Every structure is written in C-alpha cells, then in structure tokens.
Amino acid sequence: MKAEMIAVGTEILLGDIVNTDAQVISMGLNELGIDVYYQTVVGDNPERLKEVLDIARKRSDLIITTGGLGPTLDDLTRETIAEAFGKQLVLHKPTLRRITAFFEQIGREMTQNNVKQAMLPADCRVLANDWGTAPGCVFEAEGVHVMMLPGPPRECTPVFRTAGMAYLAGLAEGVIVSHNIRIFGIGESTMEEKLHDLMEHSSNPTVAPYAKDGECLVRVTAKADTKEAAEQLLAPVVQQVCDQLGDVVYGVDVPGLEYAVAKVLTEKKLRLSVAESCTGGLLSKRITDVPGASVFYKGGACTYCNEIKMQVLGVKQETLEQYTAVSSQTAREMAEGIAKAYGTDLGIGITGYAGPEGGEDGTPAGTIYIGIYYQGRTQVRCILSPRGRERARWEAANHALDMILRAAQGRKQLL
C-alpha cells in the first residue's frame, strides 16, 4: 500500500507553525508497514487542494489529510474532498450532539458555523475526537482510502493513534520495524565509512546513517509479515553495526544521551552534581528533563562570574589569575568543587567561550573545557565548537553527558 499525506494550512506554508502532524503520522504508518511515498503541503485554497488531490488519487492507495476541518470560512478540506470524490455531505447527528454537549459543558454558546463540523461524507467511518470539536473520518472511493484528520497536534495525534491506526491496521500488509543505534564521538562521514560495505549490501534490513544534534544515528529497518519475523531479521544486523562502530555506540533505541546517563546512574546508585558557566544551566535542564532524575541528580550551580566560582566551588584565585576562567585548570577545580560542595560521586565543571566572541588572549570562540571528577580522579576534555553560540552550548552539554556516561560505565574517556 502506497500512502500520501496532504497537510492543509496556509500557516504551514508561511512558516508560522511546524508540521509536526506529518512526523506523528509517518511514524504510525511505519509501525503498520504502510509505505509513505509523498508528502505535500497546500494552503487553504479549494482549487489548489483539488489539484493536489487529483495528483494523489492517481498514484497512491491511501490519502491522509490534516487540517481544514474547523468551523471557519477557510476550513474547506471536508467540502473539497467530498466534491472531489463525488461524496455528499450529510449531518452526522451523534457528532452534532457531542459538539453541542461540549459547548454546554464549557458554558459557551455554540454558533451556527460549528454545525458544519458535523457534516461528514455519506457512508464514512467517523473517527471520534475527544480532544476537540472536529471529528476525523475515513472512506473508500474509486479504490482509494481517504482519511481526514484535524490539524491541531493535540487533536491530530490522539485521533490518529487511536481511531485512525485501528482502521489502517486492517489494510496493512506486513509490518516495518526499526531500531535506532545512537552514536557519540565520531562524525557522520567516519561513521558512514565504517559501515559502507554493510550499507551497500543491505536490502532487508536496510542500514541508514543520520547526523542529528551533534551526534549520529544509524537506523536499521526491516519489513516482514510479523513483528517477530522482522525482529529476527534485525537482530544480527544491529549487532553487526554495534560491533563495527564499537566504543562510540552508547545505546540502542535510547532517546538521547541524557536518558542513557539517567539509566546507568540510577542502576549504579551514583549521585551527580554539575557546575556550569558558558552552558548557563543547559546541562542541568537536559538531565532534569528525564523523568525520575531526582534519584541521581543532586543539583547544579550556574557560576558565571569568578567570585561565585571561588565562593561556591572553591576555585582558587591564583588559578583564575594564572590560567583565566576558561582553562583546563579551572574546569578541573569546578568539577572537584561541586562534587565536594554537594557531596556527590560525580562532579562536572564546564567553562568556555560560547561566542560570539572569544577570549582577550586570543582564545577562539567555541573553546570549551569540561572537567569530570569521579572516584578521586579528575579528567578534562577540551572541545572547539565554532559554529555559533547555541551549537557550542549544545555540544558542550553533549560532551559532558558522554563523559558522565563513560565514567559511570568504566569506559575510557575521549580526551
């Protein structure tokens, strides 16, 4: 089955919002083994939507649209699709009753234009929307399955994941299963070189490399009749990728470095504290974004000025005067100081020039030192990230997380 997605909304074309619905739906179709061949965005214009539909119906077995199901004049997806496929719109009384009850519940008067949200193609299957007023629906015409979903992500995601996928499960042939191998410590080109032969000769499963947010990812994907059969195809290839990449693999199907850190620190009952300068609390934020972080994370200090580095962390004045605040010596003392002050097993110290300016001594912007204290030993990693302030801060946090993970797992640091 070939699927095509059409997002309806001028605000997407203008860049006012990001089309996150497409990601959610693509992932769901992937789970069902339905191949997505095309994605299109079209404005709130009936004629242009008709043109897009005419193209889609000739090349796809499944068309999924998002947006344009609201009560206003520019919400014309329902009417346009019904006309394009020769479907009459009829009043769906259960939907009208639900919409009416919703307005009564919130104590607001329902205007007449809300009634059009209950006008649905004859003989369609209604996809109930318990998160908003506009229901989704799906019908088959001319050998094509057409599914309409509401546009707001808070509505589209649950309607699709519950009602939409239940319908599509009956159409799917086989399943597609993927595993993501997460990598930190090498670039995309090096990763691809190491996996070149495997990628070139793999068809099912396929092996695809990606670069993402200062790290790399390898997605291994298999298609089979059942999930169990797909997993059997995947297992040896995933292992082969991990073996070929070695020490830089930090997890499989892990959302990110902070989640890998949380897992190992929780399992080993290790406590962590961090002292940040140029990252301004970003490392602490990423760590505490993980549910349950309070089990291992004791706290952090954002020490931007030298006085606070000395008062809170115990960084020596002579260290700051001789080596400056941005130095391996200062990062070392920050890591040791925060661990001592907070009484933790591990301490991290980050200091650097995030940019746009570097140091008065000629140290370039993007120079960052990261110290880690663990088991009575302190090590420092220096990185250079010259591609902008936000990128430098993100990469510094990535490197800090990698250092924590390696220390807790007993792996060699990449210094």
Side-chain angles (χ1 to χ4, degrees), residues 197-220:
D197 290 344
L198 180 60
M199 291 164 53
E200 190 173 38
H201 297 100
S202 296
S203 56
N204 189 26
T206 58
V207 179
Y210 301 89
K212 183 178 181 181
D213 296 334
E215 57 178 282
C216 295
L217 178 150
V218 177
R219 179 170 294 135
V220 184

Side-chain angles (χ1 to χ4, degrees), residues 90-256:
V90 297
L91 180 65
H92 188 251
K93 292 182 179 180
T95 294
L96 181 60
R97 287 195 294 269
R98 188 182 57 79
I99 295 173
T100 303
F102 169 78
F103 279 97
E104 290 175 352
Q105 184 179 10
I106 64 174
R108 287 172 52 190
E109 181 181 355
M110 188 184 86
T111 55
Q112 187 61 32
N113 57 2
N114 286 109
V115 175
K116 83 170 194 170
Q117 294 183 298
M119 300 295 295
L120 300 174
D123 303 320
C124 73
R125 176 168 170 174
V126 178
L127 307 178
N129 181 359
D130 294 326
W131 303 267
T133 54
C137 65
V138 59
F139 62 84
E140 183 180 2
E142 304 170 16
V144 179
H145 295 268
V146 182
M147 179 178 291
M148 289 180 263
L149 296 169
R154 67 181 181 277
E155 300 177 32
C156 180
T157 296
V159 170
F160 175 70
R161 297 292 303 185
T162 54
M165 287 185 67
Y167 173 84
L168 295 174
L171 309 179
E173 297 178 359
V175 296
I176 297 174
V177 181
S178 296
H179 289 305
N180 295 319
I181 302 166
R182 306 299 291 255
I183 298 128
F184 187 85
I186 60 173
E188 184 181 20
S189 57
T190 302
M191 175 183 67
E192 189 167 1
E193 185 178 35
K194 288 177 177 288
L195 299 175
H196 180 269
D197 290 344
L198 180 60
M199 291 164 53
E200 190 173 38
H201 297 100
S202 296
S203 56
N204 189 26
T206 58
V207 179
Y210 301 89
K212 183 178 181 181
D213 296 334
E215 57 178 282
C216 295
L217 178 150
V218 177
R219 179 170 294 135
V220 184
T221 303
K223 186 168 186 176
D225 291 334
T226 64
K227 185 177 186 296
E228 292 73 19
E231 292 287 6
Q232 289 181 352
L233 292 171
L234 287 167
V237 180
V238 169
Q239 188 61 54
Q240 190 175 356
V241 171
C242 292
D243 291 343
Q244 289 187 216
L245 294 176
D247 185 57
V248 295
V249 173
Y250 72 81
V252 178
D253 296 330
V254 180

Side-chain angles (χ1 to χ4, degrees), residues 369-390:
Y369 294 92
I370 307 159
I372 183 168
Y373 169 85
Y374 181 53
Q375 294 183 335
R377 184 184 181 193
T378 307
Q379 295 175 281
V380 179
R381 182 185 298 184
C382 178
I383 68 169
L384 181 60
S385 180
R387 291 171 287 182
R389 183 178 179 81
E390 292 308 309

Side-chain angles (χ1 to χ4, degrees), residues 2 4 6 8 46 49-65 76-89 120-124 137-148:
K2 295 182 290 186
E4 181 158 351
I6 301 173
V8 183
L49 177 55
K50 287 179 185 177
E51 292 175 7
V52 171
L53 288 169
D54 284 341
I55 295 171
R57 68 202 302 176
K58 295 173 184 175
R59 64 187 184 184
S60 300
D61 308 301
L62 168 65
I63 300 171
I64 299 179
T65 68
L76 296 170
T77 298
R78 188 187 302 102
E79 292 85 344
T80 304
I81 289 178
E83 182 181 345
F85 285 90
K87 287 280 186 177
Q88 182 181 358
L89 289 177
L120 300 174
D123 303 320
C124 73
C137 65
V138 59
F139 62 84
E140 183 180 2
E142 304 170 16
V144 179
H145 295 268
V146 182
M147 179 178 291
M148 289 180 263

Side-chain angles (χ1 to χ4, degrees), residues 331-409:
R332 178 182 297 273
E333 293 185 19
M334 289 173 67
E336 294 169 352
I338 194 69
K340 180 179 179 180
Y342 284 32
T344 56
D345 304 291
L346 297 102
I348 286 286
I350 306 176
T351 182
Y353 297 114
E357 298 176 353
E360 294 180 358
D361 60 355
T363 303
T367 301
I368 299 173
Y369 294 92
I370 307 159
I372 183 168
Y373 169 85
Y374 181 53
Q375 294 183 335
R377 184 184 181 193
T378 307
Q379 295 175 281
V380 179
R381 182 185 298 184
C382 178
I383 68 169
L384 181 60
S385 180
R387 291 171 287 182
R389 183 178 179 81
E390 292 308 309
R391 180 65 177 265
R393 287 154 59 98
W394 185 266
E395 289 190 355
N398 273 353
H399 279 273
L401 290 165
D402 178 64
M403 293 176 75
I404 297 167
L405 190 60
R406 288 175 176 274
Q409 292 175 333

